Amino acid sequence: MSPVNVRVPAKINLCLGVGPVRDDGYHPLATVYQAVDLHDEVRATVREDDAITVTVHSDVDARSEVAVVPVDDDNLAVRAARLLRDRTGVSAGVDLAIRKVIPVAGGMAGGSADAAASLVACNEAWGTGLARPALEVLAGQLGSDVPFLLHGGNAVGGGRGETVSPVLARGSYHWVFAMAHDGLSTKAVFAEFDRINAGRTVAEPAVPDPLLAALRAGDAEALGAALSNDLTEAALSLRPELEDTLSIGIEAGALGAILSGSGPTALFLASDEQHSLDIAFALTSAAGCADVVQSRGPVPGARLV
Ligand code: C5P
């Protein structure tokens, strides 16, 4: 049987509003996701026996940390395949081969992206034929960001991030990403958020109106000014050196600079290709920066190639 290939983008959060921790340990979020042109690929090859295996490799030198991606049942792509199989009653197994470009533990949903890609790839490879809404339900059970990575484009995220609704948006944006040497655990950053906010009143999160207006108008300058992330204080508390990375991009004239999700990747908005090259060049001098990538967004979600 011939393998099925799926390409899946990374995500960034243009705003990330975080509310008070819920009883289940998760935090209510109000976010605007954008899928960006930085893709992992997942290849699914059906097996005759019932094993589900995974291999992970990267051609990008700066992603040598793929070594820390689990290749057992903890791998999110494996969990996605297992969940789809349990729900559909398929008996076959699958070999999953992940080609990683999205940074590991970088705040860009790399693991969730691979889970979304695995759902789409296995659904095709096994011929289970689930429609998108059914895949989205499974995606939400796998992780907060997984439904958006099926969706792609721009979207408002609510709940713990798993409910995705469309947003009126125009324009294509030039981004520069500064990847750090070591990843940050999302769980650890949310725990630090709780520690810092113990004794403070944390408001229910909302998507800022100026950000929605900027997206509707396709106005990069206004979007840059409206970027926001409630996890900034927590991530900087764990990684103070990220402050330098953000400052270097701002001094280079970025229209806006924030951490991506729970970090440590920093993202910078540029006005055009040349501006993004200038910012990227300035960031190469940042001590905490392992790799700099220019990218564009929005792009579509997980799809067969
Ligand atoms: O949903 P996901 O498994 O990607 O989340 C990883 C961890 O991040 C969770 O275990 C939780 O600690 C934290 N998290 C949170 N609130 C959210 C999303 C994630 O506290 N809305």
Side-chain angles (χ1 to χ4, degrees), residues 21 25-29 112 142-145 159-161 186-187 190:
V21 65
Y26 283 89
H27 297 73
L29 303 183
S112 301
L142 289 162
S144 310
D145 297 327
R160 63 177 223 281
T186 303
K187 201 183 182 74
F190 275 105

Side-chain angles (χ1 to χ4, degrees), residues 184 189 192 231-240 242 259 261-263:
L184 256 180
V189 175
E192 182 66 3
L231 291 178
T232 307
E233 191 184 357
L236 291 181
S237 158
L238 298 176
R239 287 290 170 78
L242 290 173
L259 296 179
S262 54

